[in-house]
PDB file of all heavy atoms in Angstrom:
ATOM      1  N   SER G 190       0.860  -1.184   0.000  1.00  0.00           N
ATOM      2  CA  SER G 190       0.000   0.000   0.000  1.00  0.00           C
ATOM      3  C   SER G 190       0.897   1.236   0.000  1.00  0.00           C
ATOM      4  O   SER G 190       2.001   1.207   0.556  1.00  0.00           O
ATOM      5  CB  SER G 190      -0.912   0.012   1.229  1.00  0.00           C
ATOM      6  OG  SER G 190      -0.153   0.259   2.397  1.00  0.00           O
ATOM      7  N   PRO G 191       0.460   2.317  -0.602  1.00  0.00           N
ATOM      8  CA  PRO G 191       1.262   3.544  -0.595  1.00  0.00           C
ATOM      9  C   PRO G 191       1.579   4.033   0.821  1.00  0.00           C
ATOM     10  O   PRO G 191       2.680   4.526   1.077  1.00  0.00           O
ATOM     11  CB  PRO G 191       0.391   4.553  -1.348  1.00  0.00           C
ATOM     12  CG  PRO G 191      -0.451   3.714  -2.255  1.00  0.00           C
ATOM     13  CD  PRO G 191      -0.718   2.456  -1.458  1.00  0.00           C
ATOM     14  N   SER G 192       0.645   3.854   1.740  1.00  0.00           N
ATOM     15  CA  SER G 192       0.897   4.302   3.122  1.00  0.00           C
ATOM     16  C   SER G 192       1.977   3.452   3.786  1.00  0.00           C
ATOM     17  O   SER G 192       2.810   3.969   4.545  1.00  0.00           O
ATOM     18  CB  SER G 192      -0.385   4.291   3.954  1.00  0.00           C
ATOM     19  OG  SER G 192      -0.911   2.990   4.042  1.00  0.00           O
ATOM     20  N   HIS G 193       2.001   2.150   3.487  1.00  0.00           N
ATOM     21  CA  HIS G 193       3.043   1.285   4.054  1.00  0.00           C
ATOM     22  C   HIS G 193       4.405   1.663   3.478  1.00  0.00           C
ATOM     23  O   HIS G 193       5.399   1.736   4.213  1.00  0.00           O
ATOM     24  CB  HIS G 193       2.728  -0.185   3.791  1.00  0.00           C
ATOM     25  CG  HIS G 193       3.685  -1.132   4.459  1.00  0.00           C
ATOM     26  ND1 HIS G 193       3.902  -1.132   5.818  1.00  0.00           N
ATOM     27  CD2 HIS G 193       4.495  -2.092   3.946  1.00  0.00           C
ATOM     28  CE1 HIS G 193       4.806  -2.062   6.122  1.00  0.00           C
ATOM     29  NE2 HIS G 193       5.185  -2.653   4.992  1.00  0.00           N
ATOM     30  N   LEU G 194       4.463   1.931   2.175  1.00  0.00           N
ATOM     31  CA  LEU G 194       5.714   2.362   1.560  1.00  0.00           C
ATOM     32  C   LEU G 194       6.178   3.687   2.166  1.00  0.00           C
ATOM     33  O   LEU G 194       7.363   3.869   2.441  1.00  0.00           O
ATOM     34  CB  LEU G 194       5.584   2.494   0.041  1.00  0.00           C
ATOM     35  CG  LEU G 194       6.842   2.974  -0.672  1.00  0.00           C
ATOM     36  CD1 LEU G 194       8.018   2.030  -0.427  1.00  0.00           C
ATOM     37  CD2 LEU G 194       6.582   3.135  -2.161  1.00  0.00           C
ATOM     38  N   SER G 195       5.259   4.584   2.411  1.00  0.00           N
ATOM     39  CA  SER G 195       5.606   5.860   3.047  1.00  0.00           C
ATOM     40  C   SER G 195       6.216   5.622   4.424  1.00  0.00           C
ATOM     41  O   SER G 195       7.222   6.244   4.785  1.00  0.00           O
ATOM     42  CB  SER G 195       4.362   6.745   3.169  1.00  0.00           C
ATOM     43  OG  SER G 195       4.671   7.928   3.865  1.00  0.00           O
ATOM     44  N   ASN G 196       5.633   4.700   5.179  1.00  0.00           N
ATOM     45  CA  ASN G 196       6.166   4.366   6.505  1.00  0.00           C
ATOM     46  C   ASN G 196       7.555   3.728   6.402  1.00  0.00           C
ATOM     47  O   ASN G 196       8.414   3.970   7.251  1.00  0.00           O
ATOM     48  CB  ASN G 196       5.214   3.440   7.257  1.00  0.00           C
ATOM     49  CG  ASN G 196       3.964   4.149   7.715  1.00  0.00           C
ATOM     50  OD1 ASN G 196       3.969   5.359   7.928  1.00  0.00           O
ATOM     51  ND2 ASN G 196       2.885   3.404   7.851  1.00  0.00           N
ATOM     52  N   ILE G 197       7.775   2.936   5.368  1.00  0.00           N
ATOM     53  CA  ILE G 197       9.099   2.342   5.149  1.00  0.00           C
ATOM     54  C   ILE G 197      10.101   3.448   4.852  1.00  0.00           C
ATOM     55  O   ILE G 197      11.193   3.484   5.415  1.00  0.00           O
ATOM     56  CB  ILE G 197       9.067   1.296   4.012  1.00  0.00           C
ATOM     57  CG1 ILE G 197       8.282   0.051   4.449  1.00  0.00           C
ATOM     58  CG2 ILE G 197      10.479   0.916   3.575  1.00  0.00           C
ATOM     59  CD1 ILE G 197       7.993  -0.931   3.326  1.00  0.00           C
ATOM     60  N   GLU G 198       9.730   4.380   3.968  1.00  0.00           N
ATOM     61  CA  GLU G 198      10.644   5.447   3.575  1.00  0.00           C
ATOM     62  C   GLU G 198      10.981   6.386   4.737  1.00  0.00           C
ATOM     63  O   GLU G 198      12.062   6.969   4.758  1.00  0.00           O
ATOM     64  CB  GLU G 198      10.074   6.248   2.401  1.00  0.00           C
ATOM     65  CG  GLU G 198      10.141   5.505   1.093  1.00  0.00           C
ATOM     66  CD  GLU G 198       9.743   6.349  -0.098  1.00  0.00           C
ATOM     67  OE1 GLU G 198       9.325   7.522   0.084  1.00  0.00           O
ATOM     68  OE2 GLU G 198       9.858   5.852  -1.235  1.00  0.00           O
ATOM     69  N   THR G 199      10.087   6.526   5.680  1.00  0.00           N
ATOM     70  CA  THR G 199      10.364   7.387   6.836  1.00  0.00           C
ATOM     71  C   THR G 199      10.995   6.608   7.989  1.00  0.00           C
ATOM     72  O   THR G 199      11.378   7.199   8.992  1.00  0.00           O
ATOM     73  CB  THR G 199       9.086   8.086   7.331  1.00  0.00           C
ATOM     74  OG1 THR G 199       8.115   7.097   7.676  1.00  0.00           O
ATOM     75  CG2 THR G 199       8.535   9.040   6.280  1.00  0.00           C
ATOM     76  N   GLY G 200      11.085   5.298   7.851  1.00  0.00           N
ATOM     77  CA  GLY G 200      11.692   4.476   8.891  1.00  0.00           C
ATOM     78  C   GLY G 200      10.811   4.271  10.097  1.00  0.00           C
ATOM     79  O   GLY G 200      11.285   3.863  11.159  1.00  0.00           O
ATOM     80  N   THR G 201       9.516   4.504   9.944  1.00  0.00           N
ATOM     81  CA  THR G 201       8.609   4.342  11.076  1.00  0.00           C
ATOM     82  C   THR G 201       8.055   2.929  11.190  1.00  0.00           C
ATOM     83  O   THR G 201       7.331   2.630  12.138  1.00  0.00           O
ATOM     84  CB  THR G 201       7.432   5.340  10.995  1.00  0.00           C
ATOM     85  OG1 THR G 201       6.762   5.177   9.751  1.00  0.00           O
ATOM     86  CG2 THR G 201       7.932   6.768  11.137  1.00  0.00           C
ATOM     87  N   THR G 202       8.394   2.093  10.228  1.00  0.00           N
ATOM     88  CA  THR G 202       7.992   0.697  10.299  1.00  0.00           C
ATOM     89  C   THR G 202       9.155  -0.179   9.850  1.00  0.00           C
ATOM     90  O   THR G 202       9.995   0.257   9.065  1.00  0.00           O
ATOM     91  CB  THR G 202       6.741   0.424   9.424  1.00  0.00           C
ATOM     92  OG1 THR G 202       6.263  -0.889   9.681  1.00  0.00           O
ATOM     93  CG2 THR G 202       7.050   0.537   7.946  1.00  0.00           C
ATOM     94  N   LYS G 203       9.205  -1.373  10.356  1.00  0.00           N
ATOM     95  CA  LYS G 203      10.243  -2.317   9.939  1.00  0.00           C
ATOM     96  C   LYS G 203       9.869  -2.876   8.578  1.00  0.00           C
ATOM     97  O   LYS G 203       8.701  -2.973   8.235  1.00  0.00           O
ATOM     98  CB  LYS G 203      10.383  -3.443  10.957  1.00  0.00           C
ATOM     99  CG  LYS G 203      10.917  -2.968  12.284  1.00  0.00           C
ATOM    100  CD  LYS G 203      11.090  -4.115  13.255  1.00  0.00           C
ATOM    101  CE  LYS G 203      11.674  -3.599  14.559  1.00  0.00           C
ATOM    102  NZ  LYS G 203      11.927  -4.685  15.504  1.00  0.00           N
ATOM    103  N   VAL G 204      10.889  -3.242   7.836  1.00  0.00           N
ATOM    104  CA  VAL G 204      10.667  -3.787   6.504  1.00  0.00           C
ATOM    105  C   VAL G 204      11.291  -5.179   6.452  1.00  0.00           C
ATOM    106  O   VAL G 204      12.393  -5.394   6.952  1.00  0.00           O
ATOM    107  CB  VAL G 204      11.230  -2.839   5.419  1.00  0.00           C
ATOM    108  CG1 VAL G 204      12.694  -2.578   5.605  1.00  0.00           C
ATOM    109  CG2 VAL G 204      10.947  -3.357   4.028  1.00  0.00           C
ATOM    110  N   SER G 205      10.558  -6.114   5.876  1.00  0.00           N
ATOM    111  CA  SER G 205      11.047  -7.498   5.811  1.00  0.00           C
ATOM    112  C   SER G 205      12.110  -7.646   4.735  1.00  0.00           C
ATOM    113  O   SER G 205      12.214  -6.835   3.804  1.00  0.00           O
ATOM    114  CB  SER G 205       9.886  -8.446   5.510  1.00  0.00           C
ATOM    115  OG  SER G 205       9.441  -8.268   4.176  1.00  0.00           O
ATOM    116  N   LEU G 206      12.890  -8.705   4.855  1.00  0.00           N
ATOM    117  CA  LEU G 206      13.922  -8.997   3.866  1.00  0.00           C
ATOM    118  C   LEU G 206      13.312  -9.192   2.489  1.00  0.00           C
ATOM    119  O   LEU G 206      13.830  -8.680   1.487  1.00  0.00           O
ATOM    120  CB  LEU G 206      14.727 -10.226   4.288  1.00  0.00           C
ATOM    121  CG  LEU G 206      15.858 -10.641   3.344  1.00  0.00           C
ATOM    122  CD1 LEU G 206      16.859  -9.498   3.150  1.00  0.00           C
ATOM    123  CD2 LEU G 206      16.554 -11.875   3.884  1.00  0.00           C
ATOM    124  N   SER G 207      12.199  -9.900   2.407  1.00  0.00           N
ATOM    125  CA  SER G 207      11.579 -10.134   1.097  1.00  0.00           C
ATOM    126  C   SER G 207      11.111  -8.820   0.473  1.00  0.00           C
ATOM    127  O   SER G 207      11.225  -8.633  -0.749  1.00  0.00           O
ATOM    128  CB  SER G 207      10.419 -11.123   1.201  1.00  0.00           C
ATOM    129  OG  SER G 207       9.407 -10.612   2.048  1.00  0.00           O
ATOM    130  N   THR G 208      10.636  -7.886   1.283  1.00  0.00           N
ATOM    131  CA  THR G 208      10.217  -6.590   0.761  1.00  0.00           C
ATOM    132  C   THR G 208      11.421  -5.774   0.309  1.00  0.00           C
ATOM    133  O   THR G 208      11.376  -5.100  -0.722  1.00  0.00           O
ATOM    134  CB  THR G 208       9.390  -5.816   1.816  1.00  0.00           C
ATOM    135  OG1 THR G 208       8.223  -6.585   2.143  1.00  0.00           O
ATOM    136  CG2 THR G 208       8.970  -4.453   1.300  1.00  0.00           C
ATOM    137  N   ILE G 209      12.521  -5.860   1.052  1.00  0.00           N
ATOM    138  CA  ILE G 209      13.743  -5.156   0.643  1.00  0.00           C
ATOM    139  C   ILE G 209      14.211  -5.677  -0.717  1.00  0.00           C
ATOM    140  O   ILE G 209      14.597  -4.903  -1.592  1.00  0.00           O
ATOM    141  CB  ILE G 209      14.848  -5.303   1.708  1.00  0.00           C
ATOM    142  CG1 ILE G 209      14.492  -4.498   2.956  1.00  0.00           C
ATOM    143  CG2 ILE G 209      16.195  -4.853   1.152  1.00  0.00           C
ATOM    144  CD1 ILE G 209      15.429  -4.703   4.131  1.00  0.00           C
ATOM    145  N   VAL G 210      14.150  -6.987  -0.911  1.00  0.00           N
ATOM    146  CA  VAL G 210      14.555  -7.571  -2.191  1.00  0.00           C
ATOM    147  C   VAL G 210      13.635  -7.080  -3.310  1.00  0.00           C
ATOM    148  O   VAL G 210      14.095  -6.682  -4.388  1.00  0.00           O
ATOM    149  CB  VAL G 210      14.576  -9.115  -2.121  1.00  0.00           C
ATOM    150  CG1 VAL G 210      14.768  -9.732  -3.489  1.00  0.00           C
ATOM    151  CG2 VAL G 210      15.656  -9.577  -1.161  1.00  0.00           C
ATOM    152  N   LYS G 211      12.331  -7.076  -3.064  1.00  0.00           N
ATOM    153  CA  LYS G 211      11.383  -6.590  -4.075  1.00  0.00           C
ATOM    154  C   LYS G 211      11.647  -5.123  -4.413  1.00  0.00           C
ATOM    155  O   LYS G 211      11.632  -4.730  -5.582  1.00  0.00           O
ATOM    156  CB  LYS G 211       9.943  -6.736  -3.577  1.00  0.00           C
ATOM    157  CG  LYS G 211       9.433  -8.152  -3.513  1.00  0.00           C
ATOM    158  CD  LYS G 211       8.015  -8.162  -2.950  1.00  0.00           C
ATOM    159  CE  LYS G 211       7.526  -9.553  -2.666  1.00  0.00           C
ATOM    160  NZ  LYS G 211       6.197  -9.554  -2.033  1.00  0.00           N
ATOM    161  N   LEU G 212      11.881  -4.322  -3.390  1.00  0.00           N
ATOM    162  CA  LEU G 212      12.148  -2.899  -3.613  1.00  0.00           C
ATOM    163  C   LEU G 212      13.446  -2.699  -4.389  1.00  0.00           C
ATOM    164  O   LEU G 212      13.507  -1.883  -5.319  1.00  0.00           O
ATOM    165  CB  LEU G 212      12.198  -2.151  -2.275  1.00  0.00           C
ATOM    166  CG  LEU G 212      10.855  -1.968  -1.578  1.00  0.00           C
ATOM    167  CD1 LEU G 212      11.040  -1.575  -0.121  1.00  0.00           C
ATOM    168  CD2 LEU G 212      10.015  -0.932  -2.315  1.00  0.00           C
ATOM    169  N   ALA G 213      14.491  -3.433  -4.010  1.00  0.00           N
ATOM    170  CA  ALA G 213      15.771  -3.316  -4.715  1.00  0.00           C
ATOM    171  C   ALA G 213      15.596  -3.662  -6.191  1.00  0.00           C
ATOM    172  O   ALA G 213      16.115  -2.954  -7.062  1.00  0.00           O
ATOM    173  CB  ALA G 213      16.823  -4.214  -4.063  1.00  0.00           C
ATOM    174  N   ASN G 214      14.874  -4.725  -6.477  1.00  0.00           N
ATOM    175  CA  ASN G 214      14.642  -5.118  -7.868  1.00  0.00           C
ATOM    176  C   ASN G 214      13.840  -4.064  -8.627  1.00  0.00           C
ATOM    177  O   ASN G 214      14.163  -3.728  -9.761  1.00  0.00           O
ATOM    178  CB  ASN G 214      13.944  -6.471  -7.941  1.00  0.00           C
ATOM    179  CG  ASN G 214      14.864  -7.614  -7.574  1.00  0.00           C
ATOM    180  OD1 ASN G 214      16.075  -7.534  -7.759  1.00  0.00           O
ATOM    181  ND2 ASN G 214      14.301  -8.676  -7.027  1.00  0.00           N
ATOM    182  N   ALA G 215      12.803  -3.549  -7.991  1.00  0.00           N
ATOM    183  CA  ALA G 215      11.962  -2.540  -8.644  1.00  0.00           C
ATOM    184  C   ALA G 215      12.720  -1.235  -8.878  1.00  0.00           C
ATOM    185  O   ALA G 215      12.454  -0.517  -9.845  1.00  0.00           O
ATOM    186  CB  ALA G 215      10.717  -2.279  -7.801  1.00  0.00           C
ATOM    187  N   LEU G 216      13.677  -0.937  -8.005  1.00  0.00           N
ATOM    188  CA  LEU G 216      14.437   0.304  -8.101  1.00  0.00           C
ATOM    189  C   LEU G 216      15.748   0.139  -8.877  1.00  0.00           C
ATOM    190  O   LEU G 216      16.502   1.098  -9.037  1.00  0.00           O
ATOM    191  CB  LEU G 216      14.736   0.829  -6.694  1.00  0.00           C
ATOM    192  CG  LEU G 216      13.512   1.276  -5.897  1.00  0.00           C
ATOM    193  CD1 LEU G 216      13.877   1.486  -4.429  1.00  0.00           C
ATOM    194  CD2 LEU G 216      12.901   2.529  -6.502  1.00  0.00           C
ATOM    195  N   HIS G 217      16.034  -1.076  -9.305  1.00  0.00           N
ATOM    196  CA  HIS G 217      17.259  -1.376 -10.062  1.00  0.00           C
ATOM    197  C   HIS G 217      18.516  -1.019  -9.265  1.00  0.00           C
ATOM    198  O   HIS G 217      19.458  -0.432  -9.796  1.00  0.00           O
ATOM    199  CB  HIS G 217      17.263  -0.657 -11.417  1.00  0.00           C
ATOM    200  CG  HIS G 217      16.015  -0.875 -12.203  1.00  0.00           C
ATOM    201  ND1 HIS G 217      15.695  -2.091 -12.762  1.00  0.00           N
ATOM    202  CD2 HIS G 217      14.987  -0.040 -12.491  1.00  0.00           C
ATOM    203  CE1 HIS G 217      14.536  -1.991 -13.372  1.00  0.00           C
ATOM    204  NE2 HIS G 217      14.078  -0.767 -13.215  1.00  0.00           N
ATOM    205  N   VAL G 218      18.486  -1.370  -7.978  1.00  0.00           N
ATOM    206  CA  VAL G 218      19.654  -1.172  -7.111  1.00  0.00           C
ATOM    207  C   VAL G 218      19.947  -2.489  -6.408  1.00  0.00           C
ATOM    208  O   VAL G 218      19.119  -3.396  -6.392  1.00  0.00           O
ATOM    209  CB  VAL G 218      19.425  -0.050  -6.058  1.00  0.00           C
ATOM    210  CG1 VAL G 218      19.195   1.292  -6.730  1.00  0.00           C
ATOM    211  CG2 VAL G 218      18.270  -0.397  -5.127  1.00  0.00           C
ATOM    212  N   SER G 219      21.114  -2.578  -5.813  1.00  0.00           N
ATOM    213  CA  SER G 219      21.451  -3.795  -5.076  1.00  0.00           C
ATOM    214  C   SER G 219      20.898  -3.708  -3.657  1.00  0.00           C
ATOM    215  O   SER G 219      20.709  -2.618  -3.116  1.00  0.00           O
ATOM    216  CB  SER G 219      22.971  -3.983  -5.031  1.00  0.00           C
ATOM    217  OG  SER G 219      23.559  -2.935  -4.300  1.00  0.00           O
ATOM    218  N   VAL G 220      20.647  -4.853  -3.083  1.00  0.00           N
ATOM    219  CA  VAL G 220      20.180  -4.904  -1.700  1.00  0.00           C
ATOM    220  C   VAL G 220      21.220  -4.284  -0.770  1.00  0.00           C
ATOM    221  O   VAL G 220      20.874  -3.551   0.154  1.00  0.00           O
ATOM    222  CB  VAL G 220      19.852  -6.357  -1.279  1.00  0.00           C
ATOM    223  CG1 VAL G 220      19.585  -6.445   0.204  1.00  0.00           C
ATOM    224  CG2 VAL G 220      18.659  -6.880  -2.065  1.00  0.00           C
ATOM    225  N   ASP G 221      22.497  -4.545  -1.045  1.00  0.00           N
ATOM    226  CA  ASP G 221      23.526  -3.988  -0.164  1.00  0.00           C
ATOM    227  C   ASP G 221      23.539  -2.466  -0.206  1.00  0.00           C
ATOM    228  O   ASP G 221      23.878  -1.818   0.775  1.00  0.00           O
ATOM    229  CB  ASP G 221      24.908  -4.578  -0.439  1.00  0.00           C
ATOM    230  CG  ASP G 221      25.427  -4.325  -1.828  1.00  0.00           C
ATOM    231  OD1 ASP G 221      24.617  -4.201  -2.756  1.00  0.00           O
ATOM    232  OD2 ASP G 221      26.660  -4.259  -1.988  1.00  0.00           O
ATOM    233  N   SER G 222      23.150  -1.868  -1.326  1.00  0.00           N
ATOM    234  CA  SER G 222      23.099  -0.411  -1.366  1.00  0.00           C
ATOM    235  C   SER G 222      21.992   0.124  -0.463  1.00  0.00           C
ATOM    236  O   SER G 222      22.122   1.209   0.104  1.00  0.00           O
ATOM    237  CB  SER G 222      22.914   0.103  -2.794  1.00  0.00           C
ATOM    238  OG  SER G 222      21.619  -0.167  -3.266  1.00  0.00           O
ATOM    239  N   LEU G 223      20.925  -0.631  -0.289  1.00  0.00           N
ATOM    240  CA  LEU G 223      19.844  -0.209   0.614  1.00  0.00           C
ATOM    241  C   LEU G 223      20.215  -0.452   2.075  1.00  0.00           C
ATOM    242  O   LEU G 223      19.790   0.291   2.956  1.00  0.00           O
ATOM    243  CB  LEU G 223      18.544  -0.948   0.283  1.00  0.00           C
ATOM    244  CG  LEU G 223      17.952  -0.704  -1.104  1.00  0.00           C
ATOM    245  CD1 LEU G 223      16.683  -1.522  -1.289  1.00  0.00           C
ATOM    246  CD2 LEU G 223      17.694   0.769  -1.345  1.00  0.00           C
ATOM    247  N   LEU G 224      21.005  -1.485   2.334  1.00  0.00           N
ATOM    248  CA  LEU G 224      21.351  -1.858   3.707  1.00  0.00           C
ATOM    249  C   LEU G 224      22.690  -1.296   4.176  1.00  0.00           C
ATOM    250  O   LEU G 224      23.106  -1.557   5.302  1.00  0.00           O
ATOM    251  CB  LEU G 224      21.395  -3.384   3.833  1.00  0.00           C
ATOM    252  CG  LEU G 224      20.094  -4.122   3.563  1.00  0.00           C
ATOM    253  CD1 LEU G 224      20.327  -5.631   3.606  1.00  0.00           C
ATOM    254  CD2 LEU G 224      19.023  -3.713   4.543  1.00  0.00           C
ATOM    255  N   ALA G 225      23.359  -0.522   3.352  1.00  0.00           N
ATOM    256  CA  ALA G 225      24.737  -0.101   3.616  1.00  0.00           C
ATOM    257  C   ALA G 225      24.954   0.518   4.986  1.00  0.00           C
ATOM    258  O   ALA G 225      25.986   0.304   5.615  1.00  0.00           O
ATOM    259  CB  ALA G 225      25.205   0.870   2.542  1.00  0.00           C
ATOM    260  N   ASP G 226      23.997   1.276   5.483  1.00  0.00           N
ATOM    261  CA  ASP G 226      24.174   1.935   6.772  1.00  0.00           C
ATOM    262  C   ASP G 226      24.020   0.986   7.957  1.00  0.00           C
ATOM    263  O   ASP G 226      24.335   1.349   9.084  1.00  0.00           O
ATOM    264  CB  ASP G 226      23.186   3.102   6.912  1.00  0.00           C
ATOM    265  CG  ASP G 226      23.421   4.143   5.839  1.00  0.00           C
ATOM    266  OD1 ASP G 226      24.535   4.695   5.793  1.00  0.00           O
ATOM    267  OD2 ASP G 226      22.509   4.393   5.037  1.00  0.00           O
ATOM    268  N   SER G 227      23.531  -0.216   7.707  1.00  0.00           N
ATOM    269  CA  SER G 227      23.359  -1.204   8.769  1.00  0.00           C
ATOM    270  C   SER G 227      24.396  -2.317   8.709  1.00  0.00           C
ATOM    271  O   SER G 227      24.390  -3.211   9.535  1.00  0.00           O
ATOM    272  CB  SER G 227      21.957  -1.828   8.679  1.00  0.00           C
ATOM    273  OG  SER G 227      20.966  -0.846   8.858  1.00  0.00           O
ATOM    274  N   VAL G 228      25.283  -2.262   7.719  1.00  0.00           N
ATOM    275  CA  VAL G 228      26.265  -3.314   7.514  1.00  0.00           C
ATOM    276  C   VAL G 228      27.662  -2.731   7.688  1.00  0.00           C
ATOM    277  O   VAL G 228      27.974  -1.684   7.138  1.00  0.00           O
ATOM    278  CB  VAL G 228      26.122  -3.924   6.091  1.00  0.00           C
ATOM    279  CG1 VAL G 228      27.153  -4.996   5.845  1.00  0.00           C
ATOM    280  CG2 VAL G 228      24.724  -4.467   5.891  1.00  0.00           C
ATOM    281  N   VAL G 229      28.495  -3.399   8.467  1.00  0.00           N
ATOM    282  CA  VAL G 229      29.835  -2.898   8.741  1.00  0.00           C
ATOM    283  C   VAL G 229      30.687  -2.883   7.477  1.00  0.00           C
ATOM    284  O   VAL G 229      31.380  -1.920   7.179  1.00  0.00           O
ATOM    285  CB  VAL G 229      30.512  -3.740   9.850  1.00  0.00           C
ATOM    286  CG1 VAL G 229      31.939  -3.284  10.060  1.00  0.00           C
ATOM    287  CG2 VAL G 229      29.720  -3.646  11.145  1.00  0.00           C
TER     288      VAL G 229
END
């Protein structure tokens, strides 16, 4: 839902790994680029 995506973008809700993968694919970016700030 657009409201759930908005909550993901603001960091007010947790996002599942499967959703991160779907988002990365839809955005043509790598998963590691989305997770970079959480990975050493």
